[in-house]
PDB file of all heavy atoms in Angstrom:
ATOM      1  N   ILE A 225       5.218 -11.628  -3.058  1.00 99.00           N
ATOM      2  CA  ILE A 225       4.993 -13.101  -3.331  1.00 99.00           C
ATOM      3  C   ILE A 225       3.556 -13.415  -4.011  1.00 99.00           C
ATOM      4  O   ILE A 225       3.462 -14.184  -4.903  1.00 99.00           O
ATOM      5  CB  ILE A 225       5.172 -13.904  -2.016  1.00 99.00           C
ATOM      6  CG1 ILE A 225       6.625 -13.773  -1.547  1.00 99.00           C
ATOM      7  CG2 ILE A 225       4.700 -15.341  -2.164  1.00 99.00           C
ATOM      8  CD1 ILE A 225       7.672 -14.415  -2.445  1.00 99.00           C
ATOM      9  N   ALA A 226       2.545 -12.678  -3.457  1.00 98.00           N
ATOM     10  CA  ALA A 226       1.230 -12.891  -4.125  1.00 98.00           C
ATOM     11  C   ALA A 226       1.176 -12.568  -5.492  1.00 98.00           C
ATOM     12  O   ALA A 226       0.430 -13.152  -6.294  1.00 98.00           O
ATOM     13  CB  ALA A 226       0.044 -12.143  -3.258  1.00 98.00           C
ATOM     14  N   SER A 227       1.991 -11.521  -5.940  1.00 98.00           N
ATOM     15  CA  SER A 227       1.870 -11.149  -7.435  1.00 98.00           C
ATOM     16  C   SER A 227       2.534 -12.318  -8.215  1.00 98.00           C
ATOM     17  O   SER A 227       2.113 -12.466  -9.463  1.00 98.00           O
ATOM     18  CB  SER A 227       2.685  -9.816  -7.641  1.00 98.00           C
ATOM     19  OG  SER A 227       4.134  -9.998  -7.346  1.00 98.00           O
ATOM     20  N   VAL A 228       3.436 -13.092  -7.715  1.00 98.00           N
ATOM     21  CA  VAL A 228       3.970 -14.263  -8.370  1.00 98.00           C
ATOM     22  C   VAL A 228       2.937 -15.336  -8.426  1.00 98.00           C
ATOM     23  O   VAL A 228       2.655 -15.951  -9.488  1.00 98.00           O
ATOM     24  CB  VAL A 228       5.309 -14.684  -7.650  1.00 98.00           C
ATOM     25  CG1 VAL A 228       5.804 -15.969  -8.236  1.00 98.00           C
ATOM     26  CG2 VAL A 228       6.395 -13.670  -7.730  1.00 98.00           C
ATOM     27  N   LEU A 229       2.335 -15.651  -7.299  1.00 98.00           N
ATOM     28  CA  LEU A 229       1.181 -16.619  -7.245  1.00 98.00           C
ATOM     29  C   LEU A 229       0.112 -16.217  -8.279  1.00 98.00           C
ATOM     30  O   LEU A 229      -0.431 -17.035  -8.921  1.00 98.00           O
ATOM     31  CB  LEU A 229       0.625 -16.663  -5.834  1.00 98.00           C
ATOM     32  CG  LEU A 229       1.470 -17.330  -4.834  1.00 98.00           C
ATOM     33  CD1 LEU A 229       0.989 -16.945  -3.356  1.00 98.00           C
ATOM     34  CD2 LEU A 229       1.639 -18.832  -4.990  1.00 98.00           C
ATOM     35  N   ALA A 230      -0.282 -14.866  -8.248  1.00 98.00           N
ATOM     36  CA  ALA A 230      -1.343 -14.455  -9.035  1.00 98.00           C
ATOM     37  C   ALA A 230      -1.162 -14.707 -10.559  1.00 98.00           C
ATOM     38  O   ALA A 230      -1.980 -14.977 -11.307  1.00 98.00           O
ATOM     39  CB  ALA A 230      -1.639 -13.018  -8.817  1.00 98.00           C
ATOM     40  N   ARG A 231       0.173 -14.440 -10.897  1.00 98.00           N
ATOM     41  CA  ARG A 231       0.517 -14.696 -12.362  1.00 98.00           C
ATOM     42  C   ARG A 231       0.394 -16.082 -12.636  1.00 98.00           C
ATOM     43  O   ARG A 231      -0.173 -16.514 -13.712  1.00 98.00           O
ATOM     44  CB  ARG A 231       1.919 -14.183 -12.542  1.00 98.00           C
ATOM     45  CG  ARG A 231       2.356 -14.371 -14.064  1.00 98.00           C
ATOM     46  CD  ARG A 231       3.745 -13.886 -14.281  1.00 98.00           C
ATOM     47  NE  ARG A 231       4.175 -14.172 -15.574  1.00 98.00           N
ATOM     48  CZ  ARG A 231       5.452 -14.616 -15.776  1.00 98.00           C
ATOM     49  NH1 ARG A 231       6.221 -14.856 -14.799  1.00 98.00           N
ATOM     50  NH2 ARG A 231       5.830 -14.817 -17.025  1.00 98.00           N
ATOM     51  N   GLU A 232       0.832 -16.985 -11.645  1.00 98.00           N
ATOM     52  CA  GLU A 232       0.822 -18.447 -11.947  1.00 98.00           C
ATOM     53  C   GLU A 232      -0.642 -18.920 -12.004  1.00 98.00           C
ATOM     54  O   GLU A 232      -0.977 -19.874 -12.804  1.00 98.00           O
ATOM     55  CB  GLU A 232       1.564 -19.193 -10.839  1.00 98.00           C
ATOM     56  CG  GLU A 232       3.037 -19.015 -10.873  1.00 98.00           C
ATOM     57  CD  GLU A 232       3.726 -19.528  -9.671  1.00 98.00           C
ATOM     58  OE1 GLU A 232       3.064 -20.079  -8.687  1.00 98.00           O
ATOM     59  OE2 GLU A 232       4.920 -19.432  -9.644  1.00 98.00           O
ATOM     60  N   GLU A 233      -1.554 -18.309 -11.199  1.00 97.00           N
ATOM     61  CA  GLU A 233      -2.894 -18.814 -11.054  1.00 97.00           C
ATOM     62  C   GLU A 233      -3.921 -17.950 -11.771  1.00 97.00           C
ATOM     63  O   GLU A 233      -5.078 -18.264 -11.642  1.00 97.00           O
ATOM     64  CB  GLU A 233      -3.212 -18.935  -9.459  1.00 97.00           C
ATOM     65  CG  GLU A 233      -2.301 -19.842  -8.664  1.00 97.00           C
ATOM     66  CD  GLU A 233      -2.406 -19.797  -7.222  1.00 97.00           C
ATOM     67  OE1 GLU A 233      -3.235 -18.857  -6.731  1.00 97.00           O
ATOM     68  OE2 GLU A 233      -1.618 -20.381  -6.477  1.00 97.00           O
ATOM     69  N   GLY A 234      -3.537 -16.938 -12.450  1.00 98.00           N
ATOM     70  CA  GLY A 234      -4.523 -16.231 -13.261  1.00 98.00           C
ATOM     71  C   GLY A 234      -5.263 -15.138 -12.587  1.00 98.00           C
ATOM     72  O   GLY A 234      -6.517 -15.041 -12.890  1.00 98.00           O
ATOM     73  N   TRP A 235      -4.721 -14.481 -11.483  1.00 98.00           N
ATOM     74  CA  TRP A 235      -5.422 -13.449 -10.839  1.00 98.00           C
ATOM     75  C   TRP A 235      -4.575 -12.277 -10.648  1.00 98.00           C
ATOM     76  O   TRP A 235      -3.383 -12.228 -11.280  1.00 98.00           O
ATOM     77  CB  TRP A 235      -6.099 -13.917  -9.483  1.00 98.00           C
ATOM     78  CG  TRP A 235      -5.233 -14.605  -8.600  1.00 98.00           C
ATOM     79  CD1 TRP A 235      -4.738 -15.986  -8.612  1.00 98.00           C
ATOM     80  CD2 TRP A 235      -4.644 -14.194  -7.350  1.00 98.00           C
ATOM     81  NE1 TRP A 235      -3.933 -16.274  -7.586  1.00 98.00           N
ATOM     82  CE2 TRP A 235      -4.009 -15.198  -6.767  1.00 98.00           C
ATOM     83  CE3 TRP A 235      -4.690 -13.075  -6.668  1.00 98.00           C
ATOM     84  CZ2 TRP A 235      -3.235 -15.013  -5.581  1.00 98.00           C
ATOM     85  CZ3 TRP A 235      -4.014 -12.767  -5.386  1.00 98.00           C
ATOM     86  CH2 TRP A 235      -3.282 -13.831  -4.931  1.00 98.00           C
ATOM     87  N   LEU A 236      -4.961 -11.341  -9.813  1.00 98.00           N
ATOM     88  CA  LEU A 236      -4.144 -10.114  -9.652  1.00 98.00           C
ATOM     89  C   LEU A 236      -3.911  -9.754  -8.142  1.00 98.00           C
ATOM     90  O   LEU A 236      -4.946  -9.738  -7.389  1.00 98.00           O
ATOM     91  CB  LEU A 236      -4.864  -8.918 -10.326  1.00 98.00           C
ATOM     92  CG  LEU A 236      -5.017  -8.880 -11.817  1.00 98.00           C
ATOM     93  CD1 LEU A 236      -6.098  -8.017 -12.259  1.00 98.00           C
ATOM     94  CD2 LEU A 236      -3.697  -8.618 -12.531  1.00 98.00           C
ATOM     95  N   ALA A 237      -2.716  -9.403  -7.847  1.00 98.00           N
ATOM     96  CA  ALA A 237      -2.453  -8.867  -6.380  1.00 98.00           C
ATOM     97  C   ALA A 237      -1.928  -7.488  -6.581  1.00 98.00           C
ATOM     98  O   ALA A 237      -0.855  -7.243  -7.136  1.00 98.00           O
ATOM     99  CB  ALA A 237      -1.407  -9.723  -5.733  1.00 98.00           C
ATOM    100  N   GLU A 238      -2.709  -6.525  -6.144  1.00 98.00           N
ATOM    101  CA  GLU A 238      -2.441  -5.158  -6.481  1.00 98.00           C
ATOM    102  C   GLU A 238      -2.387  -4.071  -5.353  1.00 98.00           C
ATOM    103  O   GLU A 238      -3.092  -4.304  -4.312  1.00 98.00           O
ATOM    104  CB  GLU A 238      -3.485  -4.645  -7.536  1.00 98.00           C
ATOM    105  CG  GLU A 238      -3.355  -5.415  -8.823  1.00 98.00           C
ATOM    106  CD  GLU A 238      -2.059  -5.249  -9.606  1.00 98.00           C
ATOM    107  OE1 GLU A 238      -1.434  -4.215  -9.550  1.00 98.00           O
ATOM    108  OE2 GLU A 238      -1.719  -6.129 -10.151  1.00 98.00           O
ATOM    109  N   HIS A 239      -1.590  -3.058  -5.532  1.00 98.00           N
ATOM    110  CA  HIS A 239      -1.502  -1.972  -4.500  1.00 98.00           C
ATOM    111  C   HIS A 239      -2.574  -1.081  -4.812  1.00 98.00           C
ATOM    112  O   HIS A 239      -2.494   0.056  -5.290  1.00 98.00           O
ATOM    113  CB  HIS A 239      -0.101  -1.297  -4.850  1.00 98.00           C
ATOM    114  CG  HIS A 239       0.316  -0.300  -3.710  1.00 98.00           C
ATOM    115  ND1 HIS A 239       1.174   0.676  -3.946  1.00 98.00           N
ATOM    116  CD2 HIS A 239      -0.027  -0.277  -2.398  1.00 98.00           C
ATOM    117  CE1 HIS A 239       1.396   1.238  -2.807  1.00 98.00           C
ATOM    118  NE2 HIS A 239       0.732   0.757  -1.815  1.00 98.00           N
ATOM    119  N   MET A 240      -3.792  -1.395  -4.353  1.00 98.00           N
ATOM    120  CA  MET A 240      -5.077  -0.660  -4.547  1.00 98.00           C
ATOM    121  C   MET A 240      -5.940  -0.575  -3.370  1.00 98.00           C
ATOM    122  O   MET A 240      -6.072  -1.540  -2.588  1.00 98.00           O
ATOM    123  CB  MET A 240      -5.853  -1.374  -5.731  1.00 98.00           C
ATOM    124  CG  MET A 240      -5.260  -1.411  -7.025  1.00 98.00           C
ATOM    125  SD  MET A 240      -6.322  -2.197  -8.233  1.00 98.00           S
ATOM    126  CE  MET A 240      -5.382  -1.934  -9.730  1.00 98.00           C
ATOM    127  N   LEU A 241      -6.688   0.575  -3.329  1.00 98.00           N
ATOM    128  CA  LEU A 241      -7.771   0.709  -2.347  1.00 98.00           C
ATOM    129  C   LEU A 241      -9.018   0.026  -3.091  1.00 98.00           C
ATOM    130  O   LEU A 241      -8.967  -0.251  -4.238  1.00 98.00           O
ATOM    131  CB  LEU A 241      -8.125   2.078  -2.141  1.00 98.00           C
ATOM    132  CG  LEU A 241      -8.599   2.947  -3.414  1.00 98.00           C
ATOM    133  CD1 LEU A 241     -10.142   3.058  -3.290  1.00 98.00           C
ATOM    134  CD2 LEU A 241      -7.983   4.195  -3.511  1.00 98.00           C
ATOM    135  N   ILE A 242     -10.095  -0.264  -2.249  1.00 99.00           N
ATOM    136  CA  ILE A 242     -11.325  -0.826  -2.742  1.00 99.00           C
ATOM    137  C   ILE A 242     -12.320  -0.026  -1.990  1.00 99.00           C
ATOM    138  O   ILE A 242     -12.408   0.067  -0.852  1.00 99.00           O
ATOM    139  CB  ILE A 242     -11.488  -2.230  -2.471  1.00 99.00           C
ATOM    140  CG1 ILE A 242     -10.296  -3.110  -2.671  1.00 99.00           C
ATOM    141  CG2 ILE A 242     -12.736  -2.852  -3.209  1.00 99.00           C
ATOM    142  CD1 ILE A 242     -10.258  -4.556  -2.211  1.00 99.00           C
ATOM    143  N   LEU A 243     -13.277   0.741  -2.867  1.00 98.00           N
ATOM    144  CA  LEU A 243     -14.444   1.355  -2.241  1.00 98.00           C
ATOM    145  C   LEU A 243     -15.641   1.015  -2.959  1.00 98.00           C
ATOM    146  O   LEU A 243     -15.737   0.533  -4.001  1.00 98.00           O
ATOM    147  CB  LEU A 243     -14.232   2.867  -2.287  1.00 98.00           C
ATOM    148  CG  LEU A 243     -14.230   3.674  -3.514  1.00 98.00           C
ATOM    149  CD1 LEU A 243     -15.601   4.035  -4.051  1.00 98.00           C
ATOM    150  CD2 LEU A 243     -13.385   4.987  -3.316  1.00 98.00           C
ATOM    151  N   LYS A 244     -16.766   1.232  -2.147  1.00 98.00           N
ATOM    152  CA  LYS A 244     -18.124   0.959  -2.645  1.00 98.00           C
ATOM    153  C   LYS A 244     -18.830   2.306  -2.826  1.00 98.00           C
ATOM    154  O   LYS A 244     -18.806   3.082  -1.754  1.00 98.00           O
ATOM    155  CB  LYS A 244     -18.853   0.096  -1.623  1.00 98.00           C
ATOM    156  CG  LYS A 244     -20.265  -0.233  -1.872  1.00 98.00           C
ATOM    157  CD  LYS A 244     -20.642  -1.191  -0.770  1.00 98.00           C
ATOM    158  CE  LYS A 244     -22.075  -1.785  -1.159  1.00 98.00           C
ATOM    159  NZ  LYS A 244     -22.280  -2.940  -0.157  1.00 98.00           N
ATOM    160  N   LEU A 245     -19.405   2.651  -3.925  1.00 98.00           N
ATOM    161  CA  LEU A 245     -20.007   3.877  -4.163  1.00 98.00           C
ATOM    162  C   LEU A 245     -21.480   3.668  -4.404  1.00 98.00           C
ATOM    163  O   LEU A 245     -21.859   2.913  -5.347  1.00 98.00           O
ATOM    164  CB  LEU A 245     -19.307   4.596  -5.307  1.00 98.00           C
ATOM    165  CG  LEU A 245     -19.712   5.999  -5.707  1.00 98.00           C
ATOM    166  CD1 LEU A 245     -19.420   6.950  -4.539  1.00 98.00           C
ATOM    167  CD2 LEU A 245     -19.012   6.345  -6.937  1.00 98.00           C
ATOM    168  N   THR A 246     -22.331   4.358  -3.650  1.00 98.00           N
ATOM    169  CA  THR A 246     -23.788   4.257  -3.896  1.00 98.00           C
ATOM    170  C   THR A 246     -24.397   5.633  -4.251  1.00 98.00           C
ATOM    171  O   THR A 246     -24.033   6.698  -3.644  1.00 98.00           O
ATOM    172  CB  THR A 246     -24.508   3.840  -2.608  1.00 98.00           C
ATOM    173  OG1 THR A 246     -23.770   2.603  -2.111  1.00 98.00           O
ATOM    174  CG2 THR A 246     -25.981   3.425  -2.868  1.00 98.00           C
ATOM    175  N   ASP A 247     -25.099   5.613  -5.371  1.00 97.00           N
ATOM    176  CA  ASP A 247     -25.557   6.881  -5.860  1.00 97.00           C
ATOM    177  C   ASP A 247     -26.953   7.228  -5.225  1.00 97.00           C
ATOM    178  O   ASP A 247     -27.460   6.355  -4.487  1.00 97.00           O
ATOM    179  CB  ASP A 247     -25.620   6.961  -7.368  1.00 97.00           C
ATOM    180  CG  ASP A 247     -26.879   6.143  -8.025  1.00 97.00           C
ATOM    181  OD1 ASP A 247     -27.730   5.662  -7.202  1.00 97.00           O
ATOM    182  OD2 ASP A 247     -26.913   5.997  -9.253  1.00 97.00           O
ATOM    183  N   PRO A 248     -27.543   8.404  -5.490  1.00 97.00           N
ATOM    184  CA  PRO A 248     -28.742   8.723  -4.699  1.00 97.00           C
ATOM    185  C   PRO A 248     -29.942   7.840  -4.981  1.00 97.00           C
ATOM    186  O   PRO A 248     -30.940   7.742  -4.334  1.00 97.00           O
ATOM    187  CB  PRO A 248     -29.132  10.193  -5.208  1.00 97.00           C
ATOM    188  CG  PRO A 248     -27.754  10.738  -5.654  1.00 97.00           C
ATOM    189  CD  PRO A 248     -26.942   9.572  -6.122  1.00 97.00           C
TER     190      PRO A 248
END
Side-chain angles (χ1 to χ4, degrees):
I225 293 296
S227 67
V228 174
L229 290 166
R231 181 181 174 222
E232 290 169 0
E233 299 168 1
W235 52 283
L236 294 160
E238 297 297 327
H239 192 201
M240 289 184 180
L241 69 97
I242 315 169
L243 68 81
K244 178 180 194 166
L245 182 65
T246 309
D247 77 8

